[in-house]
Amino acid sequence: MISSSPMRRGRRLVRLSVAVVVTGGLAAAGVVMSTGSATAQADTLGAAAAQSGRYFGAAIAPNFLGEADYASTLNTEFNSVVAENAMKWDATEPNQGQFSFSGGDAIVAHAQSQGMSVRGHTLVWHAQQPGWVQGLTGDSLRQAMVDHITGVASHYAGQIYSWDVVNEAFEEDGSRRQSNLQQQMGDGWIEEAFRAADAADPDARLCYNDYNLDGVNAKSDGVYAMVEDFLARGVPIDCVGIQTHLSQDSDLSTYQENLQRFSDLGVDVEITELDVGGSGSAQADVYRTVTESCVAVARCTGITTWGITDKYSWRGQDTPLLFDANYQKKEAYTAVLEALNAAGGASGERDDQPDAAAYDQMARRESVPVPGLV
Ligand code: G3I
């Protein structure tokens, strides 16, 4: 039995502010409620997800926001965003101690103007480190990591729903990736990163994010063990990001089971980088399964696709997204929308969202474990 970790400061505020966004999104998108019925049929992804208290987001790049089709598809269909590259270490601290937030700020400003929530990606990763980081050793690297987390997470404090604090730190066999971070700082670096993020932005949920966590496997076992250890020792962690880069042939036989076991352990799960190489009904079926899996797990709080259109996908030749290169909705889009709408009724609704009175009660009794919450 894992004991609950201490509630992180500010958690109450984040949950409430997200609830406001979700409520606003429902109204703005004009969800069609059938009178006298528990079911609703929304006609956009964001509104459909909001019916069960979830978000539906996209990874975006600030330089595309001036393209009319890009912006209108984003604004119409999605109610959450994440920076595909603009908040990474190389973009935000190109020289040590000199921060650059222009790209990230543009994304946050756009999101706020549209009532969207914002995911943060990513504070620490072995890839896309600026050159000056790669040469650091030992305590110099540790201090640089903490300073980076503090600088970026403080800048965006209060504006981020959840941060990918650490990205892709595990190998496929469940061991730690032997990156410069691991080799120079040893096992404790991930924990240190989470503690620094918690200090800098107590309102954000703090996630560990990785790929190939798409089932119960050696890699997800390794991450599970880390989360279990963090929760037992009170290391601040709130969520696991399941990236979900797939193909139409992917085996999803234990996908939902994996989401559920993390949820049962005491963290939220988020589908953070969903894309599915393929086309037609085979691609649509995989998207449908992922969406159905998320909405079946109460602590799966939302889905983000890794881009909007195949036109700008990092793997565009695989045509992996919900909108084609001409911004036309694909079969996969319809599958996702249907799955989200199917969860809009009583059966798929998230049951772990306390109301405001419950939050106030929790805030007064921080030492008392709250069922379903860490
Ligand atoms: O912006 C420059 C441009 O100025 C330059 O001319 C061009 C020349 O190569 O490079 C451009 O930057 C590229 C950037 O994408 C924007 O297109 C980088 O080289 C390229 O490395 C970068 O790739 C990104 C990749 O992460 C790098 O780590 C992808 O866009 C991005 O989709 C991908 O995202 C990752 C997640 O962060 C973590 N999970 C996996 C996922 C897919 O690889």
Side-chain angles (χ1 to χ4, degrees):
M1 180 70 179
I2 300 301
S3 62
S4 296
S5 64
M7 189 186 307
R8 294 182 47 239
R9 288 178 296 127
R11 182 186 185 103
R12 185 171 72 99
L13 293 174
V14 171
R15 287 223 170 192
L16 289 175
S17 65
V18 169
V20 168
V21 168
V22 166
T23 307
L26 262 176
V31 175
V32 179
M33 299 290 295
S34 47
T35 311
S37 162
T39 61
Q41 294 299 306
D43 57 5
T44 68
L45 300 167
Q51 294 172 105
S52 64
R54 297 180 170 85
Y55 66 82
F56 201 95
I60 63 170
N63 47 313
F64 298 142
L65 288 172
E67 184 179 313
D69 286 345
Y70 187 92
S72 68
T73 306
L74 172 65
N75 296 346
T76 303
E77 293 287 346
F78 298 86
N79 60 8
S80 170
V81 291
V82 64
E84 183 171 359
N85 289 299
M87 291 190 189
K88 291 175 179 172
W89 201 337
D90 61 348
T92 52
E93 197 183 3
N95 300 299
Q96 188 162 17
Q98 294 180 356
F99 290 90
S100 170
F101 295 117
S102 54
D105 286 357
I107 285 174
V108 171
H110 185 88
Q112 291 178 346
S113 77
Q114 298 292 320
M116 300 171 175
S117 58
V118 182
R119 299 201 72 254
H121 175 84
T122 173
L123 292 171
V124 192
W125 188 21
H126 66 275
Q128 280 187 270
Q129 294 176 358
W132 64 266
V133 171
Q134 294 161 28
L136 297 179
T137 58
D139 282 344
S140 300
L141 180 58
R142 176 177 287 105
Q143 193 61 52
M145 178 186 80
V146 169
D147 290 347
H148 176 72
I149 292 169
T150 304
V152 176
S154 298
H155 178 78
Y156 291 111
Q159 302 178 86
I160 302 293
Y161 169 66
S162 56
W163 264 111
D164 292 334
V165 177
V166 170
N167 195 44
E168 302 176 2
F170 280 76
E171 300 283 3
E172 299 307 294
D173 66 1
S175 66
R176 290 288 187 90
R177 180 192 291 273
Q178 292 303 308
S179 65
N180 62 328
L181 303 157
Q182 180 72 24
Q183 292 187 334
Q184 293 298 324
M185 295 186 278
D187 277 349
W189 74 269
I190 299 183
E191 174 177 344
E192 277 192 74
F194 275 83
R195 291 190 193 283
D198 185 39
D201 186 355
D203 287 346
R205 295 181 190 201
L206 306 181
C207 300
Y208 175 77
N209 188 54
D210 214 329
Y211 59 88
N212 287 349
L213 303 182
D214 310 312
V216 176
N217 57 39
K219 187 172 191 173
S220 60
D221 283 351
V223 174
Y224 184 95
M226 179 188 73
V227 174
E228 186 173 41
D229 171 55
F230 279 14
L231 292 177
R233 292 189 297 111
V235 179
I237 185 167
D238 301 302
C239 38
V240 174
I242 313 289
Q243 290 187 8
T244 318
H245 292 293
L246 302 174
S247 79
Q248 64 182 31
D249 302 319
S250 293
D251 174 9
L252 294 180
S253 55
T254 58
Y255 188 86
Q256 184 176 322
E257 179 185 345
N258 190 49
L259 300 184
Q260 189 65 56
R261 71 169 173 160
F262 279 102
S263 172
D264 292 345
L265 185 56
V267 286
D268 289 346
V269 285
E270 301 185 47
I271 313 302
T272 51
E273 303 185 15
L274 176 60
D275 57 11
V276 181
S279 61
S281 61
Q283 179 185 50
D285 285 347
V286 173
Y287 264 108
R288 186 190 305 276
T289 299
V290 169
T291 307
E292 288 176 345
S293 299
C294 178
V295 298
V297 174
R299 296 195 70 151
C300 184
T301 58
I303 298 174
T304 299
T305 55
W306 204 241
I308 298 171
T309 163
D310 290 339
K311 182 178 180 181
Y312 297 128
S313 167
W314 71 293
R315 49 187 296 214
Q317 71 284 358
D318 295 336
T319 61
L321 291 169
L322 299 177
F323 296 86
D324 72 15
N326 296 312
Y327 295 93
Q328 297 303 299
K329 295 170 182 171
K330 294 157 69 170
E331 198 171 334
Y333 170 94
T334 306
V336 171
L337 188 66
E338 286 175 356
L340 293 171
N341 271 324
S347 63
E349 199 161 353
R350 292 184 59 210
D351 60 5
D352 70 332
Q353 297 292 305
D355 60 18
Y359 279 121
D360 288 334
Q361 190 178 24
M362 285 188 290
R364 286 194 297 271
R365 300 184 299 128
E366 282 200 2
S367 60
V368 179
V370 179
L373 290 171
V374 290

